[in-house]
Every structure is written in structure tokens, then in C-alpha cells.
């Protein structure tokens, strides 16, 4: 049974396992907002491990911000990357954190000049390469598009161009694109 760290709704959005180790990520209710949630499995028991808030200064448990963690990928028990988005600044921005086997640290991730940016899935085929996908929304223009980011050598994520498809609804043509998951069998950008 997975631990339930808060007295309100907790849910897990993604899990990644390597060897006898698993990392599950999601969200927990917190006073005034939604906080990230991570749990590790050692082959016998689940344990909650604190994730960082968007500014990287302290654990997010109980902070009045909204931080959503949507996916995780582990290349080793000492290397996992989790992605999502945070409304820490009054605008949804991408979120990426790296697990080193003992704690989480923030990973710089790119944002578009749009109104909202989301990372929804991540794949790390090695400890030297990860690819994350998601979407962006330009609230003023009512448009959205796909968002791809690549992290090389365990550093920071940077935006990689990804194509958008136009969707026709009632005679109106608008990009309506979201990338929810990614799978990378080898290293390198997509």
C-alpha cells in the first residue's frame, strides 16, 4: 500500500521502475494549493520523499502554490527526472526536477512566451539524456501547440522545435496540439 501523506486528495500520475527501485510521482492537496508528491519503492515498501517547490528553496508540502507533477522517468535508482508545471509566478510554467538517489533538485526547463506551458511526459534512456514533451497555450490568441524539450548530459532542458497540426472545428482552423508521453529507446534528441 502506498502512503497517503495528506488529509486531502492525493494521486499518482506516473511511475518508473529500474532494477528493484521504483519512483512514483503525482500531487497532494496542500493548504491553499496543490503540492508535488513523490514516493519510492525499494522492492518491499513505499516511502514518501519530499520534492522541491518551484523556486527550489524548500519542500513544497503545505505551500500555497499549485505545482502539478505529471510524469517521471528513471534511468537508474540514482537518476530520475520528473516533469510538470507550476503556477508559482501567476503563470503556468514548466517544471523539471532530478532525483539523485537521496533528494530532488530543480532542473532548468524552457518556457515559450505563451500564456501557459506544460510538461506532460518524460523519457530518460540514460543518465545523460532525457526528452520531455507537453504543450503550450497562448491564452490571448486561443492557440496551443506542442512543446518538446531535450536535456543532454544531465544539465538543463532546452526547447526543441516540434510540429503542430491544425484542427478544424466548425469551419475554424486552429492548432490544438498536446503531446502527453514520449518513449526513447536510445540517447539523443528526438
Amino acid at each position: 500500500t502506498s502512503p497517503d501523506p495528506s488529509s486531502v486528495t492525493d494521486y499518482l500520475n506516473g511511475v518508473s521502475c529500474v532494477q528493484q527501485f521504483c519512483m512514483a510521482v503525482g500531487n497532494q492537496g496542500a493548504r491553499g494549493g496543490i503540492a508535488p508528491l513523490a514516493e519510492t519503492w525499494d522492492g518491499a515498501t513505499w516511502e514518501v520523499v519530499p520534492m522541491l517547490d518551484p523556486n527550489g528553496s524548500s519542500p513544497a508540502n503545505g505551500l500555497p502554490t499549485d505545482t502539478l507533477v505529471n510524469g517521471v522517468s528513471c534511468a537508474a535508482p540514482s537518476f530520475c527526472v520528473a516533469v510538470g508545471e507550476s503556477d508559482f509566478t501567476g503563470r503556468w510554467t514548466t517544471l523539471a526536477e532530478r532525483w539523485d538517489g537521496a533528494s530532488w533538485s530543480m532542473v532548468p526547463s524552457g518556457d515559450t512566451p505563451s500564456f501557459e506551458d506544460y510538461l506532460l511526459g518524460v523519457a530518460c534512456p540514460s543518465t545523460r539524456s532525457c526528452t520531455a514533451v507537453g504543450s503550450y497555450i497562448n491564452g490571448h490568441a486561443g492557440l496551443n501547440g506542442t512543446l518538446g524539450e531535450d536535456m543532454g548530459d544531465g544539465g538543463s532542458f532546452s526547447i526543441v522545435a516540434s510540429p503542430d497540426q491544425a484542427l478544424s472545428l466548425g469551419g475554424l482552423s486552429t492548432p490544438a496540439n498536446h503531446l502527453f508521453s514520449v518513449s526513447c529507446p536510445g540517447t539523443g534528441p528526438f
Side-chain angles (χ1 to χ4, degrees), residues 31-57:
R31 283 178 270 129
I34 300 169
L37 172 63
E39 299 181 9
T40 59
W41 173 257
D42 63 7
T45 59
W46 286 100
E47 179 183 350
V48 174
V49 292
M51 293 187 81
L52 298 177
D53 70 13
N55 70 11
S57 63

Side-chain angles (χ1 to χ4, degrees), residues 110-179:
D111 286 300
T112 69
S114 298
F115 183 66
E116 299 176 356
D117 293 303
Y118 306 96
L119 290 176
L120 302 170
V122 62
C124 299
S126 76
T127 59
R128 299 180 59 87
S129 177
C130 295
T131 297
V133 296
S135 62
Y136 66 88
I137 298 173
N138 184 334
H140 304 292
L143 304 174
N144 63 29
T146 59
L147 180 62
E149 299 200 18
D150 188 58
M151 180 177 83
D153 292 330
S156 61
F157 279 100
S158 59
I159 295 175
V160 178
S162 59
D164 291 323
Q165 289 288 115
L167 175 68
S168 181
L169 296 171
L172 298 175
S173 182
T174 181
N177 302 280
H178 304 279
L179 295 174

